[in-house]
Amino acid sequence: MAGSLPTASGRIFISYRREETAYPAGWLYDRLADRYGGGQVFKDVDSIQLGDDFVEAITRAVGSCDVVLVLIGDKWINIADEHGKRRLDDADDFVRLEIQAALTRNVRVIPILVDGARMPRTDELPESLAKLVRRQALEFSPARFEFDTSRLFKVLDGTLAEMRKTQEDDDGVPAPAVAAEQGATTGGHPKPRQRGHYAALPLILGGAAAVAVVILLAVLLLANLQNRSSPNANTAGGQAPVQAGGGGGGIDVDGSTVTSEDGLQLSGLQATSRRDPESPRVGDTVTVSYALTNTDQRLQLDYTFVGVRDPAGDNKDAEDMNEGRALAPGETVTAQGRVLLNTAGGWAMWPCYVLAGDLFCPDRWQVFFVLAE
């Protein structure tokens, strides 16, 4: 699975044949994850566990999304199995099940015609897929990848905005916006739900909360600058900032041990680049590593990742790790993320996790800043 099953407004599912469109699907996934957040894009069904009903699993995964992109190559219609039987004629074929689920559950389906492929005719498809031919398709060519991707973004932006508007009308409350539009997510993922006695604050406090966040970030940035000029300065926890590369590195990170309200203890936070002890430059990769220890009751990790914002404020979250990992009390997992600094300026980074039930790490947990020169 290329990304954990998304759980908030703006979810996109990519359906494709590995035999012919694996590379375009991979490129497209990277661009979609970069624009809408990795937790919003679902590709592949490798997460189906032994003993699971794969029909139910696929139906649930597709049904939880707002848009399904069906990648169609020039051999898509006639690809056969090892016995020479056309895959689309197999009632248990994964791609067929994905499209059936989307059409049955009235999910928005957008066919993507890859590299000159044509739209199939009704008489070439099983009856359960016949409605696919009535969907407006987009042409997609690796030779004009950027242009075609920008066209797809325009369609998706409009589609997802329409979905959110419909949800607002149905629920009477604003639906969560995708990261590309409001930036009101945690590491490119949905904001965490409030737990237990932590009830949601009235909307009237929203402006004050925003001001508080700005002040907090300014304090953190000032603290980092002070730590650069005073390497021996102590943090509030009585520990000096952990320097990249074992001390004296180019990236200042607060390595204090902290515990979230979920009972996960963060420790060993480090950030390194190949230029340590000098500051990283544009084109370098920063590797962020950390450990999480469960101090409370048994927890189920959806995945861990490194939240990232580039100098323009756009989401650049690092890859997911520890997908589906169960943590017993006292158990520790290590996590890592690699961030390519492709733009000059200040980058914000922080460790993060997602637990089963849409529970996320604290917003910008132990955030630190990297200056790419």
Side-chain angles (χ1 to χ4, degrees):
M1 185 178 70
S4 297
L5 182 62
T7 54
S9 179
R11 300 158 295 191
I12 303 167
F13 188 101
I14 303 175
S15 173
Y16 70 103
R17 292 282 187 201
R18 292 186 180 183
E19 296 92 327
E20 66 168 357
T21 52
Y23 285 118
W27 298 337
L28 189 57
Y29 172 84
D30 290 341
R31 294 302 303 274
L32 291 171
D34 184 58
R35 185 176 182 86
Y36 301 108
Q40 299 296 90
V41 187
F42 189 76
K43 179 172 75 71
D44 286 353
V45 287
D46 292 342
S47 62
I48 297 178
Q49 303 297 318
L50 293 176
D52 283 354
D53 185 318
F54 63 87
V55 176
E56 291 183 0
I58 291 174
T59 301
R60 184 170 59 250
V62 173
S64 70
C65 293
D66 298 308
V67 180
V68 172
L69 305 179
V70 180
L71 271 60
I72 299 175
D74 58 359
K75 299 178 182 179
W76 184 83
I77 299 173
N78 296 314
I79 288 180
D81 61 20
E82 63 273 18
H83 304 296
K85 179 181 179 180
R86 197 174 70 144
R87 297 277 293 274
L88 285 177
D89 292 328
D90 181 359
D92 291 333
D93 175 59
F94 276 18
V95 169
R96 174 173 170 167
L97 288 170
E98 290 164 0
I99 301 173
Q100 282 179 182
L103 295 173
T104 301
R105 305 190 71 160
N106 203 28
V107 176
R108 180 68 61 91
V109 178
I110 302 176
I112 307 294
L113 305 180
V114 179
D115 210 11
R118 66 173 177 84
M119 192 68 182
R121 301 188 307 270
T122 302
D123 60 1
E124 295 176 309
L125 296 174
E127 184 178 353
S128 61
L129 304 185
K131 291 182 179 180
L132 178 66
V133 303
R134 294 159 52 183
R135 300 300 194 271
Q136 182 66 33
L138 281 173
E139 294 183 359
F140 184 88
S141 172
R144 54 174 192 273
F145 178 73
E146 293 297 332
F147 175 76
D148 290 342
T149 302
S150 66
R151 291 177 60 223
L152 178 60
F153 283 163
K154 291 180 180 179
V155 174
L156 288 176
D157 287 347
T159 297
L160 297 178
E162 180 182 336
M163 293 289 182
R164 289 194 301 276
K165 179 62 167 59
T166 300
Q167 183 176 337
E168 291 176 12
D169 293 342
D170 291 343
D171 298 342
V173 294
V178 295
E181 295 184 348
Q182 293 189 1
T185 58
T186 302
H189 301 274
K191 293 288 282 185
R193 297 177 182 175
Q194 300 294 334
R195 305 183 62 201
H197 59 278
Y198 293 95
L201 293 176
L203 293 178
I204 195 172
L205 296 180
V211 173
V213 170
V214 172
I215 294 175
L216 175 59
L217 290 177
V219 171
L220 288 171
L221 180 58
L222 178 60
N224 278 335
L225 294 175
Q226 290 175 337
N227 285 333
R228 286 183 182 273
S229 61
S230 303
N232 296 324
N234 291 332
T235 64
Q239 297 179 344
V242 175
Q243 298 287 327
I251 305 174
D252 292 333
V253 177
D254 183 356
S256 303
T257 299
V258 293
T259 304
S260 71
E261 65 183 52
D262 299 302
L264 281 176
Q265 183 182 79
L266 170 68
S267 61
L269 178 60
Q270 294 186 16
T272 60
S273 78
R274 66 185 180 89
R275 296 188 187 276
D276 288 338
E278 297 179 0
S279 298
R281 299 178 184 175
V282 174
D284 290 345
T285 296
V286 173
T287 299
V288 181
S289 58
Y290 58 95
L292 295 174
T293 302
N294 182 11
T295 65
D296 199 353
Q297 59 187 349
R298 184 179 180 85
L299 296 174
Q300 181 69 38
L301 277 173
D302 272 358
Y303 54 92
T304 59
F305 66 101
V306 175
V308 182
R309 289 288 184 275
D310 69 8
D314 294 330
N315 165 53
K316 300 290 183 180
D317 291 352
E319 67 273 19
D320 302 342
M321 291 185 64
N322 298 304
E323 294 181 4
R325 179 74 178 269
L327 283 182
E331 189 173 359
T332 298
V333 295
T334 58
Q336 181 175 282
R338 294 176 295 275
V339 183
L340 174 63
L341 305 178
N342 57 8
T343 304
W347 292 67
M349 304 181 189
W350 62 96
C352 203
Y353 60 81
V354 182
L355 297 177
D358 305 342
L359 302 177
F360 286 72
C361 69
D363 193 24
R364 300 206 174 194
W365 201 26
Q366 293 294 88
V367 66
F368 60 94
F369 300 89
V370 176
L371 179 63
E373 302 176 345

